């Protein structure tokens, strides 16, 4: 049995050696056993970079117009009660009225940089915590202690804004008649004059009906009246 299988094992051993020799020849020739996939063309250096993901929607495109108002300007009219009392006393007007008008005008974010940016967008905008227009300021300051000051200073100097407001109320008071037919108090008429001008104030004193904007201003004044009194210590 051993003699009959020996030649067969020899043949298999020879075939194995021949297979190893053939495999070595193929490897040396560099012939791949499977075809390679064609290389993809490069898209350039930027294509390999992935843009970082960010949370939230993409930023909105910039548009023309004023910058957004600051979230909080940190302004409370009551913080200026001392200046209101002093300037109202100098001008001979009600400190409570001066303070109530400051509350009425506090709807705006009285931030100097925002006010200046807004003025570039809207040249006729008012300045300062008392919201005074340039023409009004230039008229009111004549012959007054602040005659040498400029309207552009109002956003930075809140005491100046209060001083100009108080003297404008004095000018309006000087134009009121001794008696009037309308249902409004003197302080209400002065507030309406501050908001709509002296001509309209005199018309309201004669019995004219204010428009919606003036009525809204007067409603806000009445709503702020008690708080204004507390701020300046009025009884």
């Amino acid at each position: 049995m051993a003699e009959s299988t020996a030649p067969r094992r020899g043949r298999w051993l020879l075939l194995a050696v021949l297979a190893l020799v053939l495999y070595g020849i193929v490897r040396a020739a560099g012939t791949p056993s499977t075809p390679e996939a064609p290389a993809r063309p490069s898209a350039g250096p930027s294509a390999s970079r992935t843009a970082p993901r960010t949370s939230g929607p993409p930023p909105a495109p910039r548009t023309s117009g004023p910058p957004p108002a600051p979230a909080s300007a940190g302004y409370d009219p009551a913080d200026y009660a001392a200046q209101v009392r002093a300037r109202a006393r100098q001008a001979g007007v009600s400190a409570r009225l001066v303070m109530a008008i400051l509350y009425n005008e506090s709807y705006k974010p009285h931030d100097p940089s925002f006010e200046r940016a807004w003025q570039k967008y809207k040249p006729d905008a008012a300045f300062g915590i008392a919201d005074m227009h340039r023409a009004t300021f230039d008229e009111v300051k004549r012959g007054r202690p602040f005659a040498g000051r400029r309207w552009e200073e109002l956003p930075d100097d809140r005491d100046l804004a209060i001083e100009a407001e108080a003297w404008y109320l004095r000018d309006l008071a000087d134009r009121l008649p001794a008696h009037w037919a309308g249902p409004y108090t003197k302080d209400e008429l002065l507030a309406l004059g501050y908001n709509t001008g002296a001509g309209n104030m005199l018309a309201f004193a004669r019995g004219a009906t204010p428009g919606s904007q003036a009525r809204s201003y007067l409603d806000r004044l009445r709503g702020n009246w008690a708080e204004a009194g507390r701020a300046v210590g009025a009884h």
Side-chain angles (χ1 to χ4, degrees), residues 109-130:
H110 291 292
D111 175 81
S113 59
F114 174 78
E115 286 194 29
R116 288 194 175 88
W118 178 261
Q119 195 268 338
K120 291 179 181 178
Y121 175 72
K122 188 177 181 183
D124 62 342
F127 261 6
I129 59 175

Side-chain angles (χ1 to χ4, degrees), residues 122-175:
K122 188 177 181 183
D124 62 342
F127 261 6
I129 59 175
D131 274 351
M132 185 167 287
H133 292 277
R134 183 193 298 271
T136 302
F137 180 82
D138 289 343
E139 181 180 351
V140 169
K141 75 177 185 177
R142 293 173 184 168
R144 299 280 161 66
F146 56 98
R149 305 295 298 274
R150 296 181 301 113
W151 173 77
E152 289 84 357
E153 299 176 64
L154 289 178
D156 300 296
D157 192 337
R158 292 178 172 180
D159 180 58
L160 175 63
I162 295 168
E163 185 177 17
E165 176 201 350
W167 282 106
Y168 183 41
L169 289 171
R170 171 60 184 270
D171 288 346
L172 291 171
D174 289 344
R175 298 188 62 175

Side-chain angles (χ1 to χ4, degrees), residues 178-210:
H179 306 284
W180 51 86
Y184 306 109
T185 68
K186 178 181 178 180
D187 286 337
E188 288 174 344
L189 282 173
L190 293 178
L192 287 170
Y194 193 90
N195 179 243
T196 65
N200 286 320
M201 177 191 70
L202 295 175
F204 301 147
R206 291 190 295 266
T209 301

Side-chain angles (χ1 to χ4, degrees), residues 43-68:
S46 60
S48 62
R49 300 172 185 171
T50 303
R53 295 177 61 92
T54 57
S55 59
R62 292 178 61 89
T63 58
S64 61

Side-chain angles (χ1 to χ4, degrees), residues 53-107:
R53 295 177 61 92
T54 57
S55 59
R62 292 178 61 89
T63 58
S64 61
S72 173
Y75 166 63
D76 182 355
D79 293 339
Y80 296 86
Q83 291 91 330
V84 167
R85 287 191 294 265
R87 298 307 184 182
R89 184 170 56 252
Q90 292 169 0
V93 295
S94 165
R96 188 175 196 171
L97 175 60
V98 174
M99 179 62 76
I101 288 177
L102 289 182
Y103 274 110
N104 265 37
E105 304 294 347
S106 65
Y107 69 95

